[in-house]
Structure formats: structure tokens, C-alpha cells
Amino acid sequence: MPRTFDRRAIDAPAQIRLLSSPVRQELVDTLAALGGEASVADLAEQLGRPADGLYYHLRVLCRGGLVREVEPVEGDEQRYRLAGTGAAPLRLAYRAGKAGNLAALGRFARSLLRIATRDFEEGLRLEDVVVSGPQRELWTARNKGWLSARDVEEVNRLIERLCELTSQPRAPGRECLMSLAFVLAPIRPRAKRRARSE
């Protein structure tokens, strides 16, 4: 029987590995964006995929305890709901140095960045996308700099606020579905590379 969990603290390598599939990451993210529960038809519409191709991934997510099937009301479509407590989207708990967790988190990050790259490239193709000013919709960047302990705390507060804002479910006045992906990582000095001898 799948264990229950707080969606803000997934740390089981097997569950993290389930999310290394871009399709399953998108299903979980889209369920969260639709308020935590949706029909397969709604998910297919939001993802631009045929509904038949989603059932396999939804069953895998159900077996892994990340999603659960909602008992359909007579005549209704099959619906799925995020498992766990609370209303926030899935979050991962990192256990640095734990081999199984480390490998699973690496696969998850690679998958997440593939999805982000695809979202960005699709955004570039939109003629009406806003690329500057206070209503900007498309942005990618990488910054590298020196932070104090207080700076790190502020960065984390701001990232958490961005996560809250970009995790809100659909509601009147919220018509623009957006994705946000980021990586924050410490950089340790690397050993100098030796010049090749000629």
C-alpha cells in the first residue's frame, strides 16, 4: 500500500524516480494548477496530448502513491487527484549524500530542465508574448554571484513567494497559465585543470 505523505516533503527515491518522466511531472503540475483534481479530458486539453496516452502515466502515479483515482459519479468522466495533505503542488525533500535520493533527484532535475527548455522555446514562437516590462511573460537567465547568509535567506524567501504565486489554481482573474523553473546551487571551487602538454 502506498504511504501517505505531505506533498511538500517527498523524499522516497522511488517516488522521485516516478517524476523523472516529463509527462508525469507535467501531469502532477497540471493537476496542481487545476486545483488538485481533474478529469483525464481536462488534463489532455491542458497538455495538448491525447487522453489515451495519459492513462498509463496516471496509473503509474497512482501505484506510486503520488496521485489517486477519484470514484466517478455515475456517467462522469474518470477523475484523478493529487495524493497527500494540503493544497500545494508536489515538492521534494533533499537528502544530500544519500545515494538513492541523489541519483533520483539528478534525474528529476534533468527532466524538469527539459520541460522548462521546451516551455521557453514554445514561448519564443508566440507572436504576442511579452518579453519586457512589468507584464513580462518570457525570461531565462543565469546569475552567479557571492551571497551572505542573510542574502541566502532572502533568496529563499523570494523563491518561496514565486512558488506560491506560480502554484495558484485556475480562478476568475487568473487566465494565464505559466510555468516557472529554477535551480539554486552552491558552487565549490573546482580543481584547476592542467594544461595539455603539446
Side-chain angles (χ1 to χ4, degrees):
M1 175 177 203
R3 69 181 213 185
T4 60
F5 59 91
D6 176 342
R7 274 194 295 240
R8 298 185 62 80
I10 297 171
D11 68 348
Q15 288 183 320
I16 296 169
R17 277 192 299 275
L18 289 178
L19 296 173
S20 66
S21 156
V23 175
R24 291 194 284 271
Q25 268 192 43
E26 286 200 289
L27 279 168
V28 166
D29 291 345
T30 303
L31 274 170
L34 294 174
E37 181 180 319
S39 70
V40 176
D42 288 339
L43 292 166
E45 179 184 351
Q46 291 298 319
L47 295 172
R49 294 176 174 270
D52 290 350
L54 300 180
Y55 283 104
Y56 166 78
H57 294 286
L58 287 163
R59 283 192 299 272
V60 169
L61 288 167
C62 285
R63 280 194 304 270
L66 297 175
V67 168
R68 64 184 177 93
E69 215 172 321
V70 177
E71 196 64 42
V73 178
E74 190 175 326
D76 267 356
E77 296 179 60
Q78 183 58 55
R79 299 182 68 79
Y80 290 85
R81 177 180 298 151
L82 288 175
T85 60
L90 295 170
R91 295 284 184 254
L92 306 181
Y94 307 147
R95 292 192 181 174
K98 185 178 176 188
N101 190 277
L102 186 68
L105 286 167
R107 283 192 295 276
F108 172 83
R110 286 188 293 278
S111 175
L112 179 144
L113 293 172
R114 279 195 307 272
I115 295 169
T117 300
R118 190 213 50 223
D119 289 348
F120 182 77
E121 290 172 348
E122 287 177 2
L124 284 171
R125 292 183 189 97
L126 300 174
E127 291 184 17
D128 61 344
V129 69
V130 180
V131 295
S132 63
Q135 295 294 313
R136 185 175 188 163
E137 300 171 305
L138 189 66
W139 194 332
T140 186
R142 180 176 186 264
N143 299 308
K144 184 175 177 179
W146 298 91
L147 302 180
S148 68
R150 178 173 270 157
D151 294 336
V152 171
E153 288 177 14
E154 184 176 358
V155 165
N156 279 285
R157 272 194 306 277
L158 293 170
I159 289 174
E160 190 59 44
R161 180 61 181 139
L162 286 170
C163 289
E164 289 170 8
L165 286 171
T166 56
S167 297
Q168 299 177 100
R170 183 169 47 187
R174 291 192 205 122
E175 293 87 22
C176 187
L177 183 61
M178 311 248 335
S179 72
L180 173 70
F182 63 88
V183 172
L184 175 67
I187 299 172
R188 301 289 187 248
R190 296 183 177 116
K192 291 182 182 176
R193 293 184 181 153
R194 295 178 65 152
R196 289 185 176 169
S197 53
E198 310 251 350

